[in-house]
Amino acid sequence: MSDRDRKQRFQRGGGKGPDKGRSSGHRPGGRDREASPDGSVILYGWHTVAAALANPQRRIRKLWLTENAARRLADDKIELRVTPEIVRPDLIDSRLGPDAVHQGLLAEAEPLDSPDINDLAQEGIVLVLDQITDPHNVGAILRSAAAFAVKAIVTTARHSPDATGVLAKSASGALELVPMVTVTNLARALNELNDLGFMTVGLDSEGSEDLGAMPLVQPLALVLGAEGQGLRRLTRETCSAVARLDMPGEIKSLNVSNAAVLALYIGASRLGLMGT
């Protein structure tokens, strides 16, 4: 499958649809800003909203812009697709909270569909997240995944943040670029990846091999565990290998988003993907 075909097929990957029976969005306004009974998601910030507007598969319900943000979008010739409501910055502040860096843009949108794991391209690298719950970390991982042309991110329907709000902002537009496959059972999903021919490598500081020295093949699935807990036992047992990231310093473990980018660099370099 070519990159062009992959983008067309998976463009809608990147969120949990409303059929999960749980809130997957974030209402603009109210005290609980990470919940939305109608299943919508909240996107804010320049890169996040601009990327969503540029994605024809992302359905935008409502759009709030400051005058400066509207002018900047017009200067960059970004099609709005919906009639925006021009508002003062403090109105967006009141809807998101004072700590949200929104840069004058706030969108309410439909969540993106989750592709099927059996439709993944049989090439390159896939990331698998084992109950990583911090939306900042998942967003940062998404951004790194986009930089390394990761084919998809596999995550669980439970014990993972929804593709909205802080996660979307931290991803800086990558939510529109990297498909997110949502599964109910991670061990079963890993078994499916194994059956599809993926080399599934769990990352753990106690891994028996150094990722930088072990032979790697495509398609490769790198499996990352949660902060503190790491990989769950069944996840470790289902991976075809468990590897560590050897480093020369006194500290031998990294924040999961930093570990992800290092593992992606090693994997992409070893597989000859850096020049593609």
Side-chain angles (χ1 to χ4, degrees):
M1 183 183 293
S2 68
D3 284 346
R4 181 178 179 181
D5 291 337
R6 178 182 67 81
K7 288 179 180 178
Q8 290 174 342
R9 187 169 194 176
F10 289 116
Q11 189 72 40
R12 289 182 63 80
K16 302 172 187 175
D19 60 337
K20 301 298 180 184
R22 63 194 293 259
S23 167
S24 60
H26 169 156
R27 182 203 304 269
R31 294 188 60 82
D32 185 0
R33 295 185 173 89
E34 291 296 332
S36 178
D38 62 0
S40 63
V41 301
I42 285 298
L43 308 172
Y44 62 88
W46 174 261
H47 294 293
T48 304
V49 175
L53 290 170
N55 181 2
Q57 301 301 323
R58 174 72 85 172
R59 183 186 171 199
I60 307 295
R61 292 181 177 179
K62 297 179 182 178
L63 182 63
W64 293 269
L65 303 174
T66 62
E67 290 184 357
N68 287 339
R71 189 178 304 112
R72 185 179 175 188
L73 288 170
D75 290 343
D76 286 2
K77 297 181 172 55
I78 296 175
E79 183 182 356
L80 300 185
R81 298 199 282 133
V82 297
T83 301
E85 181 179 346
I86 305 301
V87 299
R88 293 174 54 86
D90 56 2
L91 179 59
I92 300 180
D93 288 339
S94 68
R95 291 177 170 180
L96 292 177
D99 297 328
V101 182
H102 54 74
Q103 298 166 294
L105 303 93
L106 168 63
E108 181 182 305
E110 296 282 351
L112 297 173
D113 291 339
S114 170
D116 191 276
I117 200 166
N118 291 300
D119 292 332
L120 293 178
Q122 306 294 298
E123 60 183 3
I125 301 175
V126 165
L127 284 179
V128 180
L129 309 185
D130 185 11
Q131 296 193 351
I132 299 176
T133 58
D134 187 331
H136 295 93
N137 279 334
V138 177
I141 290 170
L142 265 164
R143 188 171 182 175
S144 297
F148 283 93
V150 164
K151 303 303 182 182
I153 288 180
V154 179
T155 188
T156 53
R158 297 183 61 190
H159 305 293
S160 64
D162 290 323
T164 185
V166 171
L167 184 154
K169 179 64 167 63
S170 300
S172 194
L175 196 58
E176 313 299 324
L177 303 174
V178 182
M180 292 188 72
V181 179
T182 306
V183 300
T184 55
N185 186 299
L186 195 65
R188 186 181 304 130
L190 285 169
N191 276 322
E192 291 182 26
L193 289 173
N194 289 329
D195 292 342
L196 289 168
F198 280 80
M199 180 181 186
T200 53
V201 181
L203 297 176
D204 190 282
S205 59
E206 303 298 324
S208 58
E209 300 183 74
D210 172 19
L211 183 68
M214 66 185 295
L216 300 175
V217 296
Q218 298 187 56
L220 173 66
L222 297 171
V223 188
L224 297 157
E227 295 274 6
Q229 178 182 353
L231 298 176
R232 290 175 293 163
R233 178 188 58 81
L234 190 55
T235 302
R236 289 174 60 97
E237 293 174 353
T238 313
C239 291
S240 55
V242 179
R244 63 185 184 274
L245 295 170
D246 280 349
M247 292 163 286
E250 292 297 323
I251 294 178
K252 300 301 182 183
S253 63
L254 296 172
N255 169 279
V256 66
S257 62
N258 292 331
V261 72
L262 178 55
L264 284 172
Y265 181 82
I266 292 172
S269 299
R270 299 291 305 284
L271 296 174
L273 300 175
M274 294 299 288
T276 60

